[in-house]
Amino acid sequence: MTRRLVPALSAVAALMIGLPAAAQDFSSIGTQYMDFGSSMMSVGQMNNVLGSTVQRGGRTRSQAARPSAGASLSAQRNAAAVSTRYRPSPAVSTRVRGQFADFVAKRDPTNGDRLRQAVQQKDLLGAWEKHVAVDGLRRGDVADAMTAYWVQNWQIANNVPFANRAQVQGVRGQVSQALGSNPAFARLDDAGKQEMAEVFMLNFVAQGSAFSDAAAKKNTTLSRQLSEAAVARFRNEMSIDLRQLKLTEAGFTR
């Protein structure tokens, strides 16, 4: 089954705020080069870990299952043993949601009160889950949240409306491998994993909603700004050119 970027996200925007002009409220957020939470050490580190994997060409899931000549078998076993799942805590969600509300209000002071109210009152994480379920992604897993974020930014950067489940799952394989082999991620507790995942999820909703609204209104100027912002985020934070990547069933390739 294929997932279409724009119409599906328009539905998410309506679900989020329930007002006709809902998604446009996030346009100023979507055009920001800097993500919410991008300065968090864990988020930045994990984005760079995956970025390094993509830069090296990354291995497919079937290749990753076979020991390479230079790889340590024990290291591979340790990576496989690291879980990307976490037990969610309502307290962590409340804290992250509050930080996100502060973030969006600060970047769009004119609509700050309205944005803050929307973030605090609407189920943004539920909207995220409803949108990505078609690709086999779910809440409670850092790899799923990070996968959705990377795929969507690639789609926005390249103005590609469709990504199929096999392609998304290919990226998830890359993400899972990258996280599982990183000692810093292995040291995270459930709260740390949840915070990271929800940061990715909230950025996904805000950026995707802004892009879908611009596309639905045929606002080519804003669409182009949002696309350039996605490119800039990955170039500035990870030294990755999203427009030089291909999305395949093996994940991202150069």
Side-chain angles (χ1 to χ4, degrees):
M1 181 178 291
T2 58
R3 171 166 60 88
R4 189 171 184 181
L5 177 66
V6 175
L9 282 171
S10 296
V12 169
L15 175 63
M16 284 197 306
I17 306 184
L19 295 171
Q24 70 182 9
D25 285 342
F26 285 97
S27 61
S28 62
I29 309 305
T31 54
Q32 296 288 324
Y33 293 160
M34 187 69 71
D35 281 338
F36 160 61
S38 62
S39 61
M40 284 173 48
M41 183 177 295
S42 57
V43 172
Q45 283 181 341
M46 294 311 114
N47 265 330
N48 283 316
V49 165
L50 181 56
S52 297
T53 299
V54 172
Q55 291 279 30
R56 293 195 304 268
R59 292 181 294 166
T60 64
R61 282 171 290 174
S62 60
Q63 289 172 326
R66 298 194 298 268
S68 64
S72 163
L73 186 57
S74 62
Q76 291 184 14
R77 287 172 177 165
N78 288 339
V82 174
S83 174
T84 57
R85 297 283 297 168
Y86 58 85
R87 291 185 297 273
S89 162
V92 172
S93 290
T94 297
R95 173 167 53 82
V96 174
R97 186 169 61 248
Q99 292 170 346
F100 183 64
D102 291 340
F103 172 83
V104 296
K106 181 178 180 179
R107 276 154 182 76
D108 188 0
T110 301
N111 297 303
D113 290 342
R114 182 182 180 186
L115 285 167
R116 190 185 298 278
Q117 183 179 23
V119 170
Q120 292 288 9
Q121 294 183 355
K122 302 300 179 179
D123 184 11
L124 305 188
L125 301 184
W128 176 91
E129 186 170 40
K130 182 176 181 179
H131 179 65
V132 303
V134 67
D135 293 321
L137 306 180
R138 55 181 176 165
R139 286 170 70 172
D141 196 309
V142 179
D144 287 16
M146 192 169 176
T147 294
Y149 169 82
W150 270 67
V151 171
Q152 178 179 262
N153 269 271
W154 180 87
Q155 288 181 270
I156 293 173
N158 292 281
N159 197 24
V160 175
F162 293 101
N164 65 46
R165 182 175 178 134
Q167 291 170 331
V168 174
Q169 287 296 317
V171 175
R172 193 197 181 283
Q174 290 178 310
V175 172
S176 182
Q177 180 186 345
L179 295 180
S181 62
N182 184 265
F185 181 79
R187 290 192 293 269
L188 287 178
D189 58 11
D190 280 340
K193 291 178 182 179
Q194 181 181 352
E195 182 178 38
M196 184 191 305
E198 293 185 1
V199 164
F200 281 124
M201 293 158 73
L202 292 170
N203 280 320
F204 175 101
V205 172
Q207 294 161 8
S209 297
F211 189 77
S212 69
D213 185 67
K217 294 180 177 179
K218 303 187 186 305
N219 187 337
T220 56
T221 298
L222 180 56
S223 292
R224 184 168 58 253
Q225 290 174 342
L226 294 165
S227 180
E228 293 300 328
V231 172
R233 274 192 292 274
F234 277 64
R235 181 181 62 239
N236 296 343
E237 296 173 21
M238 291 158 264
S239 298
I240 288 283
D241 186 345
L242 287 174
R243 291 176 178 158
Q244 294 299 314
L245 298 183
K246 292 183 179 180
L247 180 59
T248 74
E249 292 186 3
F252 287 118
T253 62
R254 288 176 61 83

